[in-house]
Amino acid sequence: VTSVGVIVGMDLRSNENNRAHRTREMDRERLIVRRGQPFSISLQMSDTLPPKHQLAVVLHLGARDEVVVKVQAGRGAGDRWWFSQQAVQSEMLLTLHSPADALIGQYRLAVLMMSPDGRILQKTGLHMFYLLFNPWCRDDAVYLPDESLLQEYIMNEDGIIYRGSWDEIVSLPWNFGQFEDHVVDICFEILDNSRAALRNSEMDTKSRSDPVYVSRTVSAMVNSNDDRGVLSGRWVEPYSDGVAPYRWTGSVPILRRWSESGARAVKYGQCWVFAGVACTVLRCLGIPTRCITNFSSAHDVDGNLSLDVLINEKLENMTGSGDSSWNYHCWVESWMRRDDLAAGYDGWQALDPTPQERSDGVYRCGPCPIKAIKEGELGVKYDAPFIFAEVNADIIHWIVQSDGRKRVDQNSVGRNISTKSVYGNFREDVTLQYKYPEGSQKERAIFEKAGRRVTHPTNGEAEPEKLQLSIRHAQPVFGTDFDVIVEVKNDGEQDATAQLTVLCLAVTYNSLHRGECQRRTTSITVPAHKAHREVLRLRYEQYAACVSEHHVIRVLALAESARHNEPVLESTNIELSVPELHIRVTGVVSFTNPLPVQLRGGVFTVEGAGLLPATEIPVPGVLNPGEEVAVRFSIKPSRTGLRRLLIDFDSDKLKDVKGVATVLVHKRSRLSTMGIFGAIPLN
């Protein structure tokens, strides 16, 4: 670099470029652009370029600038970086063109002035900018040719994650917040802390043109099982040395806490939290992504597509394998082209950041084309057998008796697979994208193709006096007493005498047993063509002692008759609903204690993308039964538009109470304190 100082300044024109690249929500001061789309920078010049002198542009990338990209002057092919220049008065406008498969990352840009004989006469300082995937660019591997989908799967910071059970689905509002301050920095910090990046930064950096590679890295890095990942998972209380999974209302506080702690895992997450954080990171990087919930989800450890649940005559679980079924399980899907696979597997790819099974030695899962899952193509990478089992395995219950074990029922998994609709805050069912209709010939053919163990009832010819069981219940609210009705029906020609055992268990959403709420064993006689009804009253003081934070009670009913070879088993999960929070127009959130006991240690958490960071408001003292508490808060919005405010309330005896309100931020009042104009019921 010589003293010839023709270039006296550089402007990355962040505001204009970011608007054109749809990244202004992320930042207005720093340049954040998408690949395959040109952007312009301007150079302030003290004089015109001397004759035959040229400008050159050099890009540096990697933790230690290991990757250097020389930007070609003059129009180039679409597979390389190139720039054009135009002199405008005392400025030189440079328009840079990146290829659609450029490496994503944090670039450092320098402009050089070159002499006619190729010497560097002047070199500017390095200016930083981010380059992201570009789903608006036809040649990008993440191209998604539907603007309404892009508005949801890239631009929308507010989402819904579905929980509950297949027949009682609950909406959980979630703040993805991918455009919040410095989230983009944290997303690249996550990539930089991966095992591959720490082992060989240059090789990792050069792989970041591929969304398959990047999304697989994110799948591994959202959990902390093998690396410097973001979240530590825990599925049983206590959570006292961290934050309980149900307390989170969005991804941003988790990401910030991880970054501020020097890449130490944040405690704690469960499947919906892992999925929510992964969705934030992938959307931020520019990969269209959505959260998926699979109800009645199987965790098939041995890969035989069958989960054998062994229980004894007391209805105690005797299963020793790691196989299990979950009320629901959450993962994400990302949209991308699969250049690494044969034709036909582009589109939605399943990715699961919840640590369940190792893939190539690391706790991660995917990306796997959901088309491969539907067609039973289990040889397609990555991790197709595990995901196929989650939506297709059979759950078979066996009663272990002194004379051996007897099969009693079979339940299907993979029900009501759900995601938030592009068109509003309601559920879209995507089950048919994962599997053919239950019981169809095509479904049977896919199972055989996948090598599924064919299972058949073992009771031989149906007996006319076979007993039938059913379980009915109201939609109970946590804190109230409610009835469970077990009906034993006799379709036979003779009266049937049987022993009926009913067990009410507290379980977590992933089927961990937390204790018995109530048990009843009784001898019954059911007349021919009649039914017997057994009514159990579940009282709050009984189930409150053992129910988990997921508010799930599993009811098992077993009928055994001396006249029948096969016992009859029926089970159901009861989701206890919790009351919602009420949010007033004036910026007040109120909650009334619905329980017949005092609540202590109450705390509200308020959060909203573009509104305010996650803020805790403690409730002092105790909250008596029926007593209302109200807290006031103010919002100083940082961004305009329609925004959502998420609120959570937790206490010692009542947890995971949610509320959501919509806030409209006008341009002229963007930085003033805003009011709330309406509340949306949670369910």
Side-chain angles (χ1 to χ4, degrees):
V1 180
T2 73
S3 59
V4 180
V6 176
I7 305 171
V8 296
M10 185 190 301
D11 179 7
L12 296 184
R13 306 180 76 241
S14 300
N15 199 24
E16 298 90 340
N17 286 319
N18 290 5
R19 183 191 296 112
H21 286 251
R22 301 171 177 85
T23 59
R24 268 187 91 199
E25 291 278 287
M26 279 189 196
D27 211 308
R28 296 175 185 226
E29 306 300 323
R30 299 184 300 164
L31 180 62
I32 304 174
V33 289
R34 301 186 186 276
R35 66 186 192 177
Q37 182 177 342
F39 62 96
S40 298
I41 64 174
S42 59
L43 304 176
Q44 287 78 50
M45 313 288 285
S46 63
D47 202 349
T48 57
L49 275 179
K52 297 187 179 179
H53 285 55
Q54 292 183 327
L55 296 178
V57 178
V58 178
L59 305 175
H60 301 267
L61 192 63
R64 290 170 294 280
D65 291 341
E66 300 95 328
V67 179
V68 178
V69 179
K70 294 180 180 178
V71 183
Q72 176 184 329
R75 182 170 185 83
D79 61 347
R80 296 185 59 189
W81 281 86
W82 63 277
F83 76 95
S84 59
Q85 64 189 61
Q86 181 181 5
V88 183
Q89 297 170 330
S90 62
E91 291 189 344
M92 183 73 77
L93 192 70
L94 304 186
T95 301
L96 280 74
H97 300 257
S98 62
D101 63 350
L103 304 175
I104 66 158
Q106 185 183 56
Y107 282 80
R108 288 158 293 279
L109 178 151
V111 178
L112 287 60
M113 188 175 75
M114 312 292 293
S115 67
D117 59 358
R119 289 179 297 116
I120 300 174
L121 301 178
Q122 184 184 2
K123 181 178 181 180
T124 66
L126 293 172
H127 288 64
M128 191 278 286
F129 71 93
Y130 279 116
L131 188 73
L132 307 177
F133 291 108
N134 190 354
W136 284 270
C137 174
R138 183 177 299 275
D139 295 323
D140 196 312
V142 299
Y143 174 61
L144 181 55
D146 186 320
E147 185 61 33
S148 62
L149 300 187
L150 288 165
Q151 287 302 312
E152 178 68 35
Y153 300 139
I154 290 288
M155 303 301 290
N156 193 358
E157 293 182 89
D158 299 307
I160 292 174
I161 300 175
Y162 292 99
R163 299 189 299 176
S165 58
W166 72 270
D167 56 350
E168 196 171 329
I169 297 172
V170 179
S171 304
L172 173 71
W174 192 264
N175 173 24
F176 294 117
Q178 66 268 27
F179 300 142
E180 291 284 80
D181 288 347
H182 301 295
V183 167
V184 65
D185 305 275
I186 299 171
C187 291
F188 281 106
E189 189 182 345
I190 289 169
L191 298 183
D192 292 341
N193 274 278
S194 72
R195 292 170 70 174
L198 296 174
R199 186 167 53 240
N200 188 328
S201 173
E202 181 179 355
M203 188 178 296
D204 174 71
T205 299
K206 288 181 175 178
S207 300
R208 292 189 189 175
S209 64
D210 180 8
V212 174
Y213 178 85
V214 171
S215 64
R216 189 155 168 78
T217 300
V218 171
S219 171
M221 283 298 295
V222 167
N223 72 72
S224 63
N225 283 43
D226 309 285
D227 42 41
R228 297 162 61 88
V230 176
L231 268 167
S232 176
R234 186 171 173 85
W235 280 265
V236 291
E237 293 178 303
Y239 307 109
S240 51
D241 59 338
V243 176
Y246 51 79
R247 289 282 306 278
W248 304 113
T249 52
S251 306
V252 178
I254 297 169
L255 292 169
R256 286 181 175 157
R257 188 174 294 205
W258 174 83
S259 177
E260 290 164 3
S261 69
R264 291 180 59 188
V266 177
K267 301 175 180 178
Y268 287 104
Q270 290 175 8
C271 71
W272 70 92
V273 187
F274 288 109
V277 171
C279 188
T280 295
V281 174
L282 291 162
R283 283 187 185 180
C284 184
L285 295 174
I287 302 176
T289 301
R290 62 190 188 183
C291 285
I292 296 290
T293 302
N294 177 41
F295 291 95
S296 299
S297 189
H299 183 174
D300 179 21
V301 171
D302 53 19
N304 67 355
L305 297 177
S306 176
L307 276 67
D308 295 310
V309 180
L310 309 180
I311 54 179
N312 62 22
E313 288 141 309
K314 296 180 180 179
L315 297 182
E316 295 168 335
N317 195 314
M318 302 174 63
T319 306
S321 75
D323 285 0
S324 61
S325 64
W326 295 20
N327 280 14
Y328 63 91
H329 180 51
C330 303
W331 58 76
V332 297
E333 287 175 1
S334 290
W335 181 274
M336 65 190 73
R337 200 170 64 226
R338 289 301 298 265
D339 295 332
D340 59 325
L341 300 178
Y345 294 116
D346 299 343
W348 289 116
Q349 315 287 321
L351 290 146
D352 191 351
T354 298
Q356 296 185 92
E357 294 291 308
R358 282 193 165 92
S359 173
D360 295 335
V362 176
Y363 277 100
R364 60 186 167 187
C365 185
C368 178
I370 64 171
K371 291 177 184 175
I373 302 303
K374 183 169 184 176
E375 299 300 333
E377 300 285 357
L378 304 193
V380 174
K381 61 184 182 184
Y382 291 91
D383 309 308
F386 186 78
I387 301 169
F388 184 87
E390 286 183 304
V391 299
N392 285 304
D394 282 333
I395 303 172
I396 303 171
H397 285 88
W398 303 84
I399 293 288
V400 180
Q401 298 174 312
S402 56
D403 59 345
R405 67 182 191 179
K406 298 179 180 179
R407 174 200 181 102
V408 286
D409 76 346
Q410 178 174 324
N411 302 112
S412 59
V413 301
R415 310 176 80 166
N416 290 347
I417 304 175
S418 303
T419 191
K420 177 189 174 296
S421 171
V422 171
Y423 305 106
N425 292 325
F426 48 89
R427 189 180 71 87
E428 178 184 347
D429 193 298
V430 294
T431 308
L432 292 180
Q433 295 185 27
Y434 279 86
K435 55 200 296 191
Y436 286 95
E438 288 284 349
S440 66
Q441 286 187 337
K442 188 69 175 176
E443 183 214 24
R444 295 289 101 191
I446 295 298
F447 283 170
E448 290 182 21
K449 178 181 180 180
R452 191 183 100 146
R453 184 178 78 188
V454 180
T455 53
H456 300 286
T458 57
N459 56 316
E461 294 183 12
E463 299 176 57
E465 62 269 53
K466 177 86 171 178
L467 298 177
Q468 295 182 21
L469 276 174
S470 63
I471 302 172
R472 293 186 288 116
H473 59 87
Q475 299 298 315
V477 176
F478 182 74
T480 62
D481 302 341
F482 63 95
D483 290 336
V484 174
I485 302 168
V486 178
E487 184 175 272
V488 188
K489 191 176 180 183
N490 179 9
D491 287 334
E493 300 298 329
Q494 298 179 350
D495 295 355
T497 301
Q499 179 171 281
L500 176 66
T501 302
V502 183
L503 174 63
C504 299
L505 282 170
V507 296
T508 63
Y509 83 98
N510 58 331
S511 295
L512 297 176
H513 290 195
R514 297 296 303 274
E516 287 188 15
C517 303
Q518 193 176 146
R519 173 190 288 271
R520 180 183 297 176
T521 301
T522 183
S523 295
I524 60 173
T525 300
V526 189
H529 302 293
K530 299 285 185 180
H532 170 87
R533 290 180 181 84
E534 194 77 16
V535 180
L536 275 76
R537 183 76 169 168
L538 263 70
R539 303 192 182 279
Y540 169 73
E541 58 265 23
Q542 290 175 313
Y543 65 75
C546 56
V547 75
S548 76
E549 68 267 27
H550 304 121
H551 307 123
V552 181
I553 293 176
R554 179 168 296 166
V555 181
L556 295 163
L558 175 68
E560 296 179 282
S561 171
R563 292 177 58 85
H564 303 88
N565 291 328
E566 299 298 329
V568 186
L569 180 76
E570 184 64 30
S571 64
T572 192
N573 291 319
I574 301 175
E575 296 275 339
L576 304 175
S577 63
V578 294
E580 64 193 46
L581 296 172
H582 297 286
I583 305 165
R584 299 184 198 145
V585 175
T586 52
V588 173
V589 57
S590 66
F591 173 70
T592 301
N593 178 7
L595 301 188
V597 294
Q598 290 182 331
L599 300 180
R600 290 179 169 80
V603 60
F604 290 94
T605 304
V606 187
E607 177 183 1
L611 295 174
L612 81 166
T615 304
E616 289 193 353
I617 307 169
V619 178
V622 300
L623 195 59
N624 292 310
E627 184 180 354
E628 181 185 49
V629 62
V631 294
R632 184 178 297 276
F633 57 92
S634 61
I635 307 169
K636 289 189 178 294
S638 58
R639 290 181 279 137
T640 58
L642 203 63
R643 309 223 157 260
R644 289 214 302 169
L645 187 71
L646 309 185
I647 302 177
D648 169 82
F649 174 80
D650 287 290
S651 65
D652 61 339
K653 292 186 174 66
L654 183 60
K655 301 171 174 63
D656 202 14
V657 182
K658 307 291 186 189
V660 58
T662 303
V663 178
L664 181 62
V665 184
H666 296 287
K667 202 166 216 173
R668 64 178 180 274
S669 60
R670 181 165 64 90
L671 296 178
S672 64
T673 300
M674 297 299 300
I676 299 163
F677 74 72
I680 303 173
L682 183 57
N683 297 325

